Amino acid sequence: RDVLGSRGLGDVYKRQENVLDNFVAENKSLYSAVEQAKASVLYPPNGMNMLILGETGVGKSMFVSLIHKYGIEMKKFLENSPLITFNCADYANNPQLLLGQLFGCKKGAYTGADSDKIGLIEKANNGILFLDEVHRLPSEGQEMLFTFMDKGIYRRLGETEFERKAKVLIVCATTESPEKVLLKTFTRRIPMTIHIPSLAERSIEERFSLISTFMKDESARLDKEIKVSMNSIKAVSYTHLTLPTTPYV
């Protein structure tokens, strides 16, 4: 499960102050990440696109959910603004279908496109489009996306003349080194890069809190009391201290 926070989203949302400040109060190792996210959302006029780096399971998706909630709290998004999540790996073996998912397509644009279809960019209008595993997005898709980030316009696959408009904050995430897997012309359009620390980079206090929370959640899920010795919790808290650094560190 994700290790981002020692509380679930529901617990964070219940508190009265803004969601990111409340979150970082209990997750101090994410202070820089939170400040960068806040600056990105508040940057005029429509925020800055973001690239989130982190190992699998550190909680990138949860962090984007917090960013979306923060944007609503700060009145940068409407209460019902969309947060659309798309994992680029799901269609990595079919680039054309992947691009059709993102940008939409015109009937007949490719084999199997038997009707007009709106894309995720259109669905994410006035909100956030979260592209997980963005390194699986083909070069053609990266080029189409940075054109949209530059001008706010795009075309569905198969369209040649009609241009569509949308206002979308793009948040991308990858476990890979962006210099190796993303076009430079693409990363130039993403001015904010945010690193989510791994469990190995978290403080002992945060790890202890995470483990305690996981135990409580599992106990509630099973409706059973779980007893663990303090020595066992300490042992788990000190694991992964020697994990190798991630490629982008």
Side-chain angles (χ1 to χ4, degrees):
R1 58 186 296 176
D2 285 350
V3 301
L4 178 60
S6 57
R7 291 186 178 226
L9 277 177
D11 292 329
V12 176
Y13 288 176
K14 289 177 185 176
R15 300 177 67 175
Q16 297 302 309
E17 300 172 8
N18 86 66
V19 67
L20 285 178
D21 284 345
N22 287 332
F23 171 75
V24 82
E26 296 185 2
N27 298 275
K28 294 184 174 17
S29 64
L30 278 93
Y31 176 80
S32 294
V34 164
E35 290 302 303
Q36 287 177 293
K38 288 162 63 176
S40 298
V41 171
L42 298 177
Y43 193 84
N46 300 316
M48 288 191 291
N49 300 315
M50 294 169 253
L51 175 61
I52 299 177
L53 307 178
E55 296 175 357
T56 299
V58 296
K60 298 184 289 293
S61 297
M62 179 183 169
F63 193 64
V64 175
S65 296
L66 292 172
I67 290 172
H68 180 247
K69 178 66 176 179
Y70 176 77
I72 293 173
E73 291 177 341
M74 296 296 106
K75 310 299 184 185
K76 298 297 288 186
F77 302 129
L78 297 176
E79 193 71 33
N80 62 347
S81 68
L83 168 58
I84 304 296
T85 298
F86 179 69
N87 191 318
C88 298
D90 291 344
Y91 295 88
N93 295 324
N94 192 333
Q96 201 167 44
L97 187 56
L98 189 156
L99 298 179
Q101 290 290 320
L102 280 179
F103 297 97
C105 67
K106 185 178 179 180
K107 181 179 179 180
Y110 55 83
T111 303
D114 50 8
S115 63
D116 290 347
K117 181 179 179 181
I118 68 172
L120 298 180
I121 286 178
E122 195 167 340
K123 292 180 180 180
N125 190 30
N126 294 313
I128 292 177
L129 175 59
F130 173 43
L131 299 177
D132 201 4
E133 298 196 63
V134 71
H135 56 278
R136 305 298 295 273
L137 186 65
S139 298
E140 180 186 359
Q142 293 182 42
E143 291 171 355
M144 292 172 68
L145 197 56
F146 74 61
T147 299
F148 170 70
M149 289 190 283
D150 274 350
K151 301 178 180 179
I153 59 174
Y154 67 99
R155 289 189 178 98
R156 292 180 181 175
L157 294 187
E159 290 181 335
T160 56
E161 297 181 2
F162 185 71
E163 290 183 337
R164 301 174 184 274
K165 294 183 178 181
K167 186 176 76 173
V168 180
L169 184 64
I170 303 290
V171 182
C172 303
T174 180
T175 57
E176 306 297 319
S177 170
E179 293 81 10
K180 295 179 179 178
V181 295
L182 298 175
L183 299 174
K184 289 183 179 179
T185 47
F186 180 73
T187 55
R188 286 195 201 109
R189 270 75 177 185
I190 305 178
M192 185 65 79
T193 300
I194 299 173
H195 167 60
I196 302 295
S198 66
L199 184 59
E201 298 171 279
R202 307 288 289 270
S203 69
I204 294 299
E205 291 78 15
E206 286 181 64
R207 290 185 223 177
F208 183 84
S209 179
L210 285 166
I211 293 166
S212 298
T213 300
F214 294 162
M215 292 293 184
K216 291 175 183 176
D217 288 350
E218 189 67 6
S219 175
R221 188 182 72 83
L222 298 173
D223 194 23
K224 299 284 186 180
E225 183 180 5
I226 298 177
K227 294 183 179 181
V228 183
S229 71
M230 183 57 67
N231 285 339
S232 296
I233 291 180
K234 286 181 179 178
V236 175
S237 297
Y238 279 89
T239 57
H240 303 303
L241 285 175
T242 58
L243 278 178
T245 55
T246 48
Y248 44 79
V249 174

